Each structure stands twice: as C-alpha cells, then as structure tokens.
Amino acid sequence: MPPESSAVPSSKQALNQVFGPEGPLARLIDRYRPRQAQVEMAEAVARIVADGGILVAEAGTGTGKTFAYLVPALLSGLQVLVSTGSRNLQDQLFLKDLPLLLKALRHPVQVAQLKGRGNYLCHYRLEQTLAADMMRSESELHDLTRVKRWTGVTEVGDVAEMAELPENWWGWPALTSTEDSCLGQSCPFVNDCFLLKARRRAQEADLVVINHHLLCADWALREDGLGELLPEAAAVVVDEAHQFAEIAARFLGDSVSSRQIQELIRDAAVELQQAELASPPTQQALLYLKQRLDRIQGVFARAPGRGAGVELEAFPEVMDCLQQLRQALAAVNDALAPLAGASHGLELCWQRSQRLGGRLEKWVAGERADAPEELEWVRWFDAGQRRFALHATPLDVAGSFSGYRKTSGAAWVFTSATLSVAGRFDHFLDQLGLTEKAAETRLWPSPFDYTRQALFYLPTGMPAPSASDYTSRMAAAVRPVLHASGGRAFLLFTSHRALAEAAGLLEDLPFPLLVQGQAPKAVLLARFRELGNAVLLGTSSFWEGVDVPGSALACVVIDKLPFAAPSDPVFQAKLASLRRRGHHPFPDYQVPAAAITLKQGAGRLIRGSGDRGVLVLCDPRVTEKAYGKIFLESLPPMPVTRDLADVERFYADSGD
C-alpha cells in the first residue's frame, strides 16, 4: 500500500500562479496563453491526487491536459506514476515536457522513465550473440559491433537511442531479454543491467513515466501473486486512457507465437554452444522443432490470416501441424531436462519449452491456462507470411482491474481527448468496471473556435457503404475538395482494401500522394510536413497520435463510420458475450466504440488556434440512420454543409 499522504495539496492559488499570464510557464514558453480549462483540470487532478479517488477527465485538443496533470503531480510531494499509450508520448513527456516544467517550477522533484524489458539492451544476450557462430553477413556483424561500442557510452541502454538502426532491425529481439529468457540474479552482468538500473531509478523517483503495457504487466504479476514491477505510488495518471481497456485485454491473455518458438530454438542452441555441450539428441530435437515450425508457417500462409480458433478445425492440415509442433516442443523439453543443471540459461530454456508446450496444448484443446471459471475469453489466431500467433484473450477486464485498482490503494486519473460519447462516459466506465458514483467525470471541450476554424462537409449522393462502387464514388466526391484545399489532406480509411483502391483512383491528382506502406509512418509524416501540399492515405495507425499543426494539413477525409471489422474474432466474441448478459451490442458497444474512433480521426484536423480546415465524412448513415445523431453530437460544434460551393468558399475566404 502507498504510504499515507502528509503532503499539502496544490492550492488553487499556487496553480493559478503557475498557469497565470505572469507565471513561470509564461516566462519560458513562446506565445503562452492562460487557459481556464487547463487550470480547472489541474485543480481537479491536484484534489484527487491529495485526497484519493478516481477522476475521469476528457480534455479536448488544445486544453493543455499534459501540463494540467503534470504540474499538480510534480507539486504534490507524492510518488506518482504517469502511464501513456505509446512510447512516442512517453519519450515526449520525459525528454521534452518534464525538463521544461522542472526548469519552470524550480521544484526539487526526481523524475524517471521506465519501459518494458524489451526496450533495454541485455549485456548477456549481446555477448551471447557476438560469441555465437551464427553471423549471417558482414553487415550484420558490423551492426552488432556498433551496438557493442554504444554500450560503452550509453547510461540508460534504451535501444531507442540507436536511431541509426530501425525499430524492426533483426538484432533487437536477439539483444534484448524477455521474461522467459532473463537470467535474473544469476546473470554474470547483473550489476551492469540496464533494466535493473532503470527499475531502481523508478523506485527512488517522485514521478515515473511508464506506458500502458508496463502498467498491465504489473497488474498481471500482482494478480498472479508473483510480485510487482512498479513502485506502490500514491497516484496513477493514465493518459490516452481510451486505449487502456483494449491494451489490457490483449496483454492479460496467453499467446504462443512463431517468434517465441524461434527464439527458444536460437537461445537453446547458443546456450549449448556456450556450455560446450555436445548433445546430439538435443540438437536433433531442436532441428526437428525448426522443421515442424517451418512447415506450419508454410501452411498458415495458405490458411485464413485472422480468425477464431474454431475456424482452424476446418483445416485438418493446420491442426495436424499444431499437434506435430506440440510433440516437437515436448521432445525438446525431454532433451533439455537432463542438461538443465549445466547452466542457468539452459534451465530457462527447459522451462520455456514446458510453458510454450503447455500453452499450445491448452490452445489446441480449447482451454485457457490458469483462467478463472467465471472469466470469458476467446481463442483466436493471426497468421501471415512466415509468422503466426495463437492467442487466448479475456473479453472483459473490468472485474480484474477493479481488484488491481483497489489493491493498489492509489488515486487514479484517467484522461484523453476522447473518452465521452455524446457527452456521456458510460462506455469508458463500463469497460473498467467503474461507476458514476465512484468516479468523478469531467469534460472540458476544446478551446478552439470550431465554428470559425472548421467546416463539416457531408457529400450528397453517396451510396450505402456496402455498395461495390462505394470507394470509387467516395474518391469522386472528395476529388473537388482536394483541389479546393490544394492537397494538404489526410484521407483516413477503415480498411486496407479501400485504401489501396482509393490510392489507384487518385494517383492522377496534381499533388504528391503518400500512401501508408510506402515508407515507415514517421517518414511519411515528415514528408507530408515538408511538402506542404501532399495528400496522405492511411488506415488505423493514422487516426490517432498524429499531430500536424499549421497549414500543411487543411482537410481530413473519413471514408466510413469506423465500426470495428465484423470479421475480428475478439470483436465477435465480445458481442456474443454482451448478448448473453442481456445487453444490446449495437447501441451499447458498437456505436460508442465507433464514435470514439471517429472523434480521434476528426481530431487530426485542428491542432492549433490558427489552424483552419474541412472535415469530410462520406458515410451517408450519419444522416440517414437514427444512431447518426450520436456521432454528430460527439464531434466538436462545427457548421455543417452538404454544398460543395460552401467548401470552396471556406478555402477562398481563408486565403489558402
């Protein structure tokens, strides 16, 4: 339990001084403007952190919610965890926002950042890889040598520091540890371990920046009674909270993947070599496991890419391969058992083979390992070229989270620009088992003048979204808008198929066309900003967490209302579970979830007080269906038009 608070809550006077026109922030930040909503949110956060409780706060774009929770957290005198949905925001908070605030406040506060173990270089695995006779090319050896040199100068060991190597570089999985592969206190490099150093800094810090995956990992460990990863803080702030329940569901489940098995084969072979053990039976068992893995990867490439576990029963070849893979894992387990005492690394490999074999056996049998009887879950798979993953995912995390939250004894603040649906928080509260009675809910709209800065255009004559020519009609409808805007547009799609079709239809535009998949997301966004008149086509990853303020973005087009794909196995199982519990899935779950996603996409348009732009929604259901009103009421108050001439006048009047 967190220690009892002896801190004095941040007073209104102190917060007003910090955020005031003559305060420390105004002296450090160019063009700083006090915002009443920001001060009100800071006061609410300060009260919750000091007194305990739960705050659910939606703060529209431009409110300044980041500083609204960081300032009272820094002034509280208590230990606070701040959790984000992405590593990008985590790095921004720690490397940009917190240094600025600490300079402004001149308050003696110790801050730290903590990421999951996969973000920190592992000395042991680096030495293993360098010593192993497994180099594939001179260039790969060159890259490993660069990493080795970097370990001598880095203080943190965060692989993100190696910007010259891409995130998907082949070597990172080999040079970072997993929970299964970590040697713990038996590691010969334990005193130099970057992860352990980061955890010690987190334990000693007043404010620790983490991410949702790490928070969920701590939740899972505490639920299983296996200890904890995070300090027992007095308060937890969950930013980008609209993502939290979904991330938790995926994280709290079980999985068996081709990558896990590949890493087991590699690590076991390296450990045998390091221990100088010549064990033909073990080597043969590992070779057989690799052959079975290669075969099932080839078979999965011909099977459906994603679906419920029961769907695989229609593919006897897949089920046969899974059984053979399970037997191969059992053979590796048997071969490693007598060698486990030779080194701690071999013992871990033996334990990993047991766990993976057990999970695979449970999955094939339609069972979930260690799941409480009352917990509903779904078996599903995701397969592509040379990869597959078998998952068991819980359908509801509310009960589990309530237990974690109460055990923590901490105050909780959940915040995002998109938590409410038509002004109500029911959807978010239900996902985490919170009630309106237990949680304080607050909504601060964006301070931007949407009535002046934006226009909402609903094209006429659009067919039903299920029509075969929908995407071509959509492309035709937005073409004159793009000419009026001079490019400078995001086109956001609900499917990759529609994106690919639209890219072909719009390739003759007189503007640079940037299409998701042509280059990494960061590269596409950098090009978009530099070009100044580009049209960028993207799917889900571009609907949120993308910030392009200024004139480079003046139009956001959304092809359809973003209902979840009906083919998604977790989604289908969730709907079935809701029906069993007497709910009506469409109004109770599907519409609210889609409304929040729509708010995220629409939120890309206006990012600053000087921005102007047109939001285009092509889906006719927003006006033809009764539920369309919920979507409209969830968006900022913009003037609505169905006349293209209004769009053209809007751009002409703005001088663009």
Side-chain angles (χ1 to χ4, degrees):
M1 297 289 289
E4 290 188 12
S5 168
S6 60
V8 178
S10 306
S11 68
K12 289 186 178 183
Q13 182 179 1
L15 292 172
N16 275 286
Q17 182 181 7
V18 170
F19 290 107
E22 306 298 328
L25 295 181
R27 291 193 293 269
L28 274 180
I29 301 174
D30 291 338
R31 291 177 293 181
Y32 177 83
R33 292 182 303 104
R35 286 165 279 191
Q36 183 59 33
Q38 186 178 48
V39 176
E40 290 178 5
M41 180 175 170
E43 290 172 354
V45 172
R47 178 169 39 78
I48 291 292
V49 169
D51 299 339
I54 305 167
L55 173 66
V56 177
E58 175 172 305
T61 306
T63 304
K65 67 177 172 63
T66 302
F67 283 11
Y69 65 70
L70 284 179
V71 168
L74 290 169
L75 296 178
S76 69
L78 300 170
Q79 189 174 48
V80 179
L81 301 178
V82 175
S83 180
T84 73
S86 64
R87 284 181 296 183
N88 286 340
L89 179 57
Q90 190 178 1
D91 286 336
Q92 178 184 313
L93 289 178
F94 188 71
L95 300 176
K96 181 181 176 182
D97 297 331
L98 279 170
L100 189 151
L101 284 177
L102 291 173
K103 182 179 179 181
L105 297 175
R106 298 181 182 180
H107 193 63
V109 178
Q110 189 171 350
V111 300
Q113 178 172 219
L114 182 60
K115 297 181 179 180
R117 66 169 66 246
N119 293 279
Y120 298 99
L121 183 87
C122 173
H123 291 283
Y124 178 74
R125 288 175 69 82
L126 173 61
E127 295 303 320
Q128 255 193 334
T129 304
L130 287 169
D133 199 15
M134 292 183 176
M135 296 303 105
R136 291 178 287 184
S137 70
E138 287 188 15
S139 66
E140 290 174 354
L141 181 57
H142 174 69
D143 287 341
L144 288 170
T145 304
R146 290 163 66 192
V147 174
K148 174 67 174 177
R149 287 198 299 268
W150 168 67
T151 61
V153 297
T154 179
E155 295 183 3
V156 179
D158 186 343
V159 300
E161 293 179 9
M162 289 288 291
E164 58 268 38
L165 293 175
E167 285 186 26
N168 60 351
W169 178 54
W170 71 270
W172 292 135
L175 305 184
T176 56
S177 71
T178 65
E179 186 180 351
D180 288 334
S181 64
C182 178
L183 299 182
Q185 293 299 316
S186 300
C187 179
F189 299 94
V190 65
N191 292 329
D192 300 315
C193 178
F194 291 123
L195 175 63
L196 290 182
K197 289 179 180 179
R199 288 181 176 173
R200 282 195 289 270
R201 287 193 295 270
Q203 290 289 341
E204 297 167 359
D206 301 297
L207 188 145
V208 187
V209 182
I210 60 173
N211 57 52
H212 295 350
H213 287 89
L214 196 58
L215 185 58
C216 291
D218 182 71
W219 170 0
L221 276 178
R222 292 177 192 255
E223 187 172 61
D224 292 339
L226 299 177
E228 66 277 332
L229 292 175
L230 302 173
E232 295 185 336
V236 182
V237 178
V238 181
D239 198 351
E240 298 177 309
H242 63 282
Q243 303 175 2
F244 186 58
E246 182 177 354
I247 290 175
R250 299 295 169 93
F251 195 92
L252 296 175
D254 290 331
S255 67
V256 181
S257 69
S258 52
R259 177 173 169 174
Q260 289 173 320
I261 297 173
Q262 287 166 344
E263 289 180 353
L264 171 64
I265 295 170
R266 174 198 172 280
D267 291 349
V270 172
E271 289 292 348
L272 285 171
Q273 183 175 331
Q274 295 292 302
E276 298 182 348
L277 284 174
S279 174
T282 307
Q283 293 167 344
Q284 186 175 356
L286 290 172
L287 177 61
Y288 180 69
L289 178 58
K290 183 180 184 305
Q291 291 170 342
R292 295 304 91 196
L293 181 61
D294 288 343
R295 185 187 171 207
I296 194 170
Q297 285 178 318
V299 171
F300 261 123
R302 304 193 300 271
R306 184 183 176 98
V310 293
E311 293 179 26
L312 289 184
E313 295 173 9
F315 296 87
E317 187 178 10
V318 174
M319 299 307 294
D320 180 58
C321 285
L322 286 174
Q323 290 291 358
Q324 291 181 22
L325 189 65
R326 185 185 63 78
Q327 293 166 2
L329 276 167
V332 167
N333 179 63
D334 292 342
L336 286 173
L339 306 177
S343 73
H344 193 58
L346 281 172
E347 183 177 357
L348 284 179
C349 289
W350 173 52
Q351 294 172 357
R352 286 161 65 186
S353 68
Q354 285 181 306
R355 280 194 293 271
L356 288 173
R359 289 179 194 167
L360 181 57
E361 184 174 7
K362 291 279 188 182
W363 197 93
V364 171
E367 302 174 8
R368 157 87 194 278
D370 304 323
E373 289 185 8
E374 68 275 10
L375 181 66
E376 290 189 278
W377 55 278
V378 58
R379 262 189 332 145
W380 59 287
F381 68 92
D382 184 15
Q385 290 295 325
R386 310 304 301 168
R387 65 162 185 82
F388 71 87
L390 310 175
H391 302 279
T393 300
L395 297 178
D396 183 19
V397 300
S400 176
F401 179 69
S402 291
Y404 175 60
R405 179 177 54 78
K406 292 172 183 175
T407 301
S408 75
W412 288 78
V413 175
F414 300 93
T415 186
S416 168
T418 55
L419 291 179
S420 69
V421 177
R424 296 185 58 83
F425 291 87
D426 309 55
H427 179 70
F428 177 79
L429 296 174
D430 289 345
Q431 287 181 301
L432 294 180
L434 305 175
T435 64
E436 291 187 359
K437 183 177 180 180
E440 177 184 347
T441 58
R442 298 289 300 273
L443 196 163
W444 288 279
S446 170
F448 299 145
D449 186 358
Y450 280 87
T451 60
R452 180 186 60 83
Q453 293 179 248
L455 181 67
F456 190 13
Y457 176 48
L458 303 173
T460 58
M462 288 297 297
S466 58
S468 59
D469 63 343
Y470 183 84
T471 301
S472 63
R473 298 274 291 277
M474 172 254 182
V478 303
R479 185 180 287 270
V481 178
L482 298 176
H483 282 283
S485 67
R488 304 185 300 151
F490 277 3
L491 273 60
L492 303 179
F493 294 86
T494 54
S495 73
H496 289 276
R497 181 200 60 76
L499 180 147
E501 183 181 351
L505 293 167
L506 297 172
E507 62 183 357
D508 63 337
L509 283 171
F511 312 109
L513 202 66
L514 305 176
V515 182
Q516 180 178 335
Q518 290 178 341
K521 179 179 177 180
V523 173
L524 288 176
L525 288 171
R527 288 179 188 167
F528 183 87
R529 295 184 182 102
E530 291 166 4
L531 288 166
N533 68 337
V535 176
L536 188 152
L537 282 65
T539 56
S540 55
S541 63
F542 285 87
W543 284 65
E544 62 179 287
V546 175
D547 192 11
V548 185
S551 61
L553 179 62
C555 180
V556 169
V557 177
I558 294 175
D559 73 331
K560 298 178 183 179
L561 293 175
F563 288 106
S567 58
D568 183 89
V570 178
F571 174 71
Q572 284 296 325
K574 178 73 175 180
L575 300 189
S577 173
L578 288 168
R579 292 188 194 99
R580 285 193 295 272
R581 288 183 279 150
H583 294 279
H584 301 286
F586 188 72
D588 294 350
Y589 182 76
Q590 291 171 268
V591 169
I596 287 176
T597 304
L598 180 67
K599 288 174 68 174
Q600 282 288 335
R604 301 313 97 212
L605 182 62
I606 304 297
R607 307 300 296 177
S609 58
D611 291 358
R612 281 173 58 85
V614 175
L615 174 66
V616 183
L617 177 58
C618 298
D619 196 328
R621 291 175 294 181
V622 76
T623 55
E624 294 174 358
K625 301 294 185 181
Y627 59 78
K629 183 179 180 183
I630 295 174
F631 288 92
L632 295 175
E633 291 177 347
S634 298
L635 294 173
M638 297 173 280
V640 180
T641 184
R642 310 209 71 176
D643 189 343
L644 178 62
D646 290 335
V647 174
E648 294 169 337
R649 275 191 295 272
F650 179 89
Y651 286 116
D653 292 344
S654 65
D656 293 336

